[in-house]
Amino acid sequence: MKIKRIAHLGVVVKDLDEALRFFTGGLPLELTHTEDYQGMRIGFIPVGDSSIELLQDVSGSSAIKKFLEKNGEGIHHIAFEVDDISQAVVELKERGIRLIDETPREGAHGMTIAFMHPKGTHGILMELVQPSKKDTH
Ligand code: CMX
């Protein structure tokens, strides 16, 4: 298993449109697209070889809702790109690393993803991603 790069940083925001005014109006960055995924509205902003993934809860019950209530806006997770996510998950399990997703699943932006549990990763929620063949961000 090889971790190739930081694919993205997930950042929880209260309001995506408002956050975009800072990220793409204040900072010289560009939004590539937005996507609705599992009760969230997600905006993708490339930064060099990585991206910032802005996450807004829209359903009131998405995976980021509790985090926002507890912590407010901020960095939510870090995503590492791997070549073969099925193999990576097997290797992490063999090393005793606690996973949220023991089987990789479909994530936003056509990626295959698997989360590790933040209790086993020094307090940082970490995600493995394997991008679809046609996309590197
Ligand atoms: N970073 C660090 N620690 C986190 C965390 C985060 N993003 N989210 C939760 N935690 C910690 C909590 O602080 C809590 O710690 P304590 O027990 O010490 O208080 C513990 O993990 C349990 O958290 P919780 O608030 O009780 O919330 P849940 O157990 O309901 O869920 C988690 C936590 C991580 C298992 C769940 O959010 C999850 O499955 N996340 C993976 C999916 C996800 O986050 N998707 C959103 C991103 C977009 C995408 O899916 O691609």
Side-chain angles (χ1 to χ4, degrees), residues 37 63-64 66-67 70 76-77 100 115 118-119 123 125 127:
Y37 172 77
I64 57 169
K66 219 164 158 185
F67 178 91
K70 264 171 101 168
H76 176 261
H77 67 270
I100 293 169
F115 278 91
K119 289 286 136 194
L125 181 60
E127 179 185 20

Side-chain angles (χ1 to χ4, degrees), residues 101-116:
D101 304 297
E102 300 225 337
T103 307
R105 62 184 168 95
E106 191 182 333
H109 199 32
M111 297 180 287
T112 309
I113 66 165
F115 278 91
M116 290 168 242

Side-chain angles (χ1 to χ4, degrees), residues 39-52:
M40 292 170 273
R41 191 163 161 246
I42 304 179
F44 295 89
I45 301 174
V47 185
D49 198 31
S50 301
S51 288
I52 291 174

